[in-house]
Each structure stands twice: as C-alpha cells, then as structure tokens.
Amino acid sequence: MLHSVARLAAITALPLTLASPTIHKRLANGLAPTPPMGWNSYNHYNCAPNQSIIQSNADALVNLGLADLGYTYVTTDCGWTIPDRGADGKLTWNETLFPSGFPAVGQYIHDLGLGFGTYSDGGVLMCAGGINQTGSLGFEYTDAEIFASWGADLLKYDNC
C-alpha cells in the first residue's frame, strides 16, 4: 500500500503540460462565417410547400427579428417540382403550387434581405415522402446551373 501511495505522489508531482492544438483562422472570404441558419419548409409542411407558405415564412423571419439573429435562409424542400423533367431535360417548379415561378419566389426572398434555398437529391428520385419527383442523378451540372439561374443561394442535397 505504501509503495502505491508513494508512486502516486511521485506521479502527481510531475509538471503537467498539455499540448494545445494549433488554431487556424478561417479564410476571410465571406463564405459560411456561421453554419447556414434559417427556415426549411420540410420541418412543418413536409413535401407540401407552396408559394404562399414560403413567402409568409420568409416574412416571419424578418418580422420576428430572426433574420437579425442570423436566420437568413428560406429553403423550399421536397414537393416543389413536377414529377418529370421537361423535354429539354431540365427540372422545373410545379406551376400550381408556385404560380409566379421559382425565380420570382427567390427574388421575393432576396428583396427581404434573405437567402433563397432549394432542394434536390443525388438519386434517381428525390426523397419526397411517396411523391414521384425526379432527382439529380446524371443531371448534377445541369441542375446546378438551373438553381443558380433561379438565384438560389443554398442547396439542400439528400441522397436517396
């Protein structure tokens, strides 16, 4: 017993030095100074968004002061597109749900000082809760160009 107590005393008397990890500064390029924060239609409306829902929730981020706290993205999740690509191979929005079109919805969101987000999937179909909606598999570059042309600032990308 004495031996182990003496040994413990000798060990605890040693100077303790912990190596600090090297901290690296972020790039000062303005990209992602915080994680993307905002509102996503899936959290309440699942795969059933529409233009009115998206715009009223964008308004709420501003009116409730959440945008001032960093909640600056409004993302339309699954349910926004039609089941198939057009004859030109491009995705498009469901005109019944988004009568003004995605570019106009994006502009509405931008006019509020917020970022416009949309959704796609890396698979053949989107994760759309039983709704048949085509995914981006094989069309990744084309879809990225489309989202950019609509003014999208953020893409939520699943892999179903």
Side-chain angles (χ1 to χ4, degrees):
M1 179 84 171
L2 285 176
H3 184 301
S4 56
V5 171
R7 187 169 183 204
L8 180 60
I11 291 172
T12 57
L14 294 174
L16 183 62
T17 58
L18 298 175
S20 318
T22 304
I23 297 174
H24 300 283
K25 291 185 177 185
R26 290 185 281 223
L27 294 176
N29 62 6
L31 297 177
T34 65
M37 299 187 302
W39 179 85
N40 182 302
S41 64
Y42 187 82
N43 297 329
H44 183 75
Y45 301 99
N46 199 328
C47 293
N50 64 48
Q51 185 169 331
S52 176
I53 287 169
I54 300 303
Q55 290 177 338
S56 66
N57 281 279
D59 290 337
L61 282 180
V62 173
N63 295 337
L64 294 172
L66 295 171
D68 294 332
L69 298 174
Y71 293 87
T72 57
Y73 289 96
V74 176
T75 301
T76 304
D77 211 300
C78 59
W80 63 266
T81 188
I82 58 175
D84 298 304
R85 292 177 177 275
D88 59 0
K90 294 181 178 179
L91 289 175
T92 193
W93 58 88
N94 181 321
E95 292 180 359
T96 302
L97 300 174
F98 296 90
S100 297
F102 252 38
V105 171
Q107 187 60 53
Y108 183 91
I109 291 168
H110 286 147
D111 288 348
L112 294 172
L114 302 171
F116 170 47
T118 191
Y119 165 83
S120 192
D121 190 278
V124 175
L125 295 174
M126 291 183 184
C127 301
I131 301 170
N132 182 22
Q133 293 186 318
T134 189
S136 291
L137 185 63
F139 293 89
E140 294 86 355
Y141 188 81
T142 300
D143 290 356
E145 286 182 321
I146 291 167
F147 300 142
S149 76
W150 295 342
D153 303 295
L154 177 138
L155 176 65
K156 176 185 171 188
Y157 202 63
D158 277 342
N159 197 21
C160 288

